[in-house]
Amino acid sequence: MRQNRPSRVVVHVLVMVTGLGLFGLSGCRDEKPPRVVDFSDTVRAVRPETSYPSQDTLRVAVAAMVSPKQSFANYREFLDYLGHTLGKRVDLIQRKTYVEVSELMGKGLIDVAFICSGPYAAARERYGFELLAAPQINGSHFYRSYLVVNRASPCHSLEDLRGKTFAFTDPDSNTGRLVPCYWLKLMGESPESFFERYLFTYSHDNSIMAVAKGLVDGAAVDSLIWDYVSRTNPELASKTRVIKKSEEYGMPPVVASQSVSPALKATIRRALLSAHEDPSGRQILESLHIERFVEAREEWYDPIRDMLRSMGTHVGKPDAVHESER
């Protein structure tokens, strides 16, 4: 039991989805007007102060791999534990997109971030990210991209999704955008030439929901999130089906900003790597379905960099909804 802690988690949720509008997409573009579907599992957006906090505050960002409300629910207790261990107040910061988190870190406005592997691999040198640790789940520090369709869909391969509607997650996501775009490139295609329409949901669980509800024909999602939804919401997951899996990539890491002192980085790294050894820390990690944090290795993210080099800097336009001009 943890009592009389000197730390607390202060929630600052930045520019988040106040009602994620996904445009329902029909197979024929002119048959019906777009339907706007409002996912109600949202949280109120509050803009934080942009001034630098005291040295007793640690600003931690959690990229929106899942919806903002779910991210907060999952990480609040762990960040409270981390703050207690470090003797600091922890401010939890969320942004709608990965690039917003990266830019804030580059400006020194965020100290530590739980980020997607894609932004780390693409922007490590630009923003000065430093690896602190990576989660180990089911004995592995790797994950995949899953191509999913509705359970009732006749599609059984990526080729079957030609001329269909598709959901990406974030424009900078590895599993939610880069991987499927790389698959298309190997086929001599692009999202614009291959899909009838595509959109961005800005979280993996929203992409799973879009497929389950039949709002899109397919989506590419993080295997960790699909497995998590399968455990926590099997009714929803059962309405989807995985038809393709990617190779393995290094787990989404925890990184520190270049503005954080070497001494503090070392302290945070030790706290992460030893959390599973403390009964309270282990219990919280188990609630996140994480066994422990391990030291991450740079080469884990080289396959992502190889894809980025193959794709160049362009993997499709990051519009909210795109209709190909075929």
Side-chain angles (χ1 to χ4, degrees):
M1 300 291 295
R2 303 182 305 280
Q3 298 179 348
N4 301 320
R5 291 178 175 173
S7 63
R8 61 190 178 94
V9 173
V10 180
V11 183
H12 294 303
V13 183
L14 317 183
V15 193
M16 296 192 308
V17 186
T18 58
L20 179 63
L22 287 182
F23 291 87
L25 303 174
S26 61
C28 298
R29 69 184 70 172
D30 295 323
E31 289 183 355
K32 296 179 181 179
R35 293 180 292 117
V36 178
V37 179
D38 183 7
F39 291 128
S40 60
D41 188 17
T42 57
V43 289
R44 183 179 179 183
V46 180
R47 180 168 294 278
E49 298 177 0
T50 56
S51 60
Y52 289 87
S54 69
Q55 294 183 350
D56 293 329
T57 299
L58 187 71
R59 300 156 300 179
V60 181
V62 178
M65 292 176 61
V66 293
S67 64
K69 184 175 182 179
Q70 191 65 50
S71 293
F72 169 69
N74 287 348
Y75 283 92
R76 175 176 57 184
E77 190 173 10
F78 181 72
L79 294 183
D80 189 18
Y81 168 83
L82 185 63
H84 175 67
T85 302
L86 298 172
K88 292 180 176 291
R89 189 184 81 171
V90 174
D91 286 2
L92 171 60
I93 297 174
Q94 288 182 285
R95 281 282 193 178
K96 178 182 175 182
T97 65
Y98 295 150
V99 71
E100 290 175 291
V101 171
S102 297
E103 289 177 349
L104 286 175
M105 288 199 73
K107 295 176 181 178
L109 296 175
I110 294 175
D111 302 309
V112 175
F114 294 72
I115 65 173
C116 178
S117 301
Y120 173 73
R124 176 178 64 91
E125 294 183 0
R126 177 181 178 185
Y127 294 112
F129 295 149
E130 181 175 330
L131 277 177
L132 294 179
Q136 177 177 297
I137 300 175
N138 295 327
S140 175
H141 42 258
F142 294 102
Y143 76 126
R144 302 173 186 267
S145 175
Y146 282 177
L147 183 64
V148 299
V149 297
N150 190 277
R151 173 64 64 179
S153 172
C155 298
H156 294 278
S157 68
L158 177 58
E159 176 60 39
D160 292 339
L161 287 169
R162 182 183 296 275
K164 305 293 187 180
T165 58
F166 196 80
F168 295 109
T169 54
D170 185 278
D172 293 304
S173 172
N174 173 45
T175 54
R177 189 189 188 207
L178 176 60
V179 171
C181 287
Y182 177 71
W183 287 339
L184 290 177
K185 185 177 188 299
L186 294 178
M187 298 166 60
E189 300 282 358
S190 68
E192 292 82 1
S193 68
F194 189 78
F195 298 119
E196 176 72 11
R197 297 179 184 178
Y198 65 81
L199 54 82
F200 288 88
T201 66
Y202 292 98
S203 76
H204 293 274
D205 58 344
N206 283 333
S207 287
I208 294 169
M209 187 179 299
V211 171
K213 291 181 176 290
L215 303 178
V216 294
D217 295 301
V221 299
D222 183 325
S223 63
L224 300 173
I225 303 303
W226 192 88
D227 291 342
Y228 175 83
V229 172
S230 295
R231 290 190 298 267
T232 59
N233 192 349
E235 182 179 357
L236 176 65
S238 67
K239 296 177 181 178
T240 69
R241 175 164 46 88
V242 179
I243 62 173
K244 185 177 176 65
K245 297 181 180 181
S246 73
E247 66 174 299
E248 293 183 324
Y249 309 105
M251 285 279 194
V254 185
V255 301
S257 166
Q258 59 186 350
S259 65
V260 178
S261 71
L264 181 55
K265 289 176 185 176
T267 301
I268 298 170
R269 181 181 286 110
R270 285 195 298 269
L272 290 169
L273 298 179
S274 63
H276 68 287
E277 299 174 353
D278 177 75
S280 297
R282 183 167 58 252
Q283 182 178 5
I284 297 170
L285 289 176
E286 288 175 354
S287 71
L288 293 168
H289 302 281
I290 295 174
E291 295 170 359
R292 59 181 295 182
F293 283 97
V294 298
E295 291 193 47
R297 300 172 62 175
E298 199 62 52
E299 58 264 30
W300 294 354
Y301 305 95
D302 285 342
I304 301 174
R305 296 188 179 103
D306 290 341
M307 283 192 294
L308 288 167
R309 282 190 288 269
S310 174
M311 296 296 300
T313 58
H314 178 74
V315 292
K317 300 176 183 178
D319 303 321
V321 177
H322 178 93
E323 180 177 335
S324 64
E325 301 299 329
R326 293 186 291 120

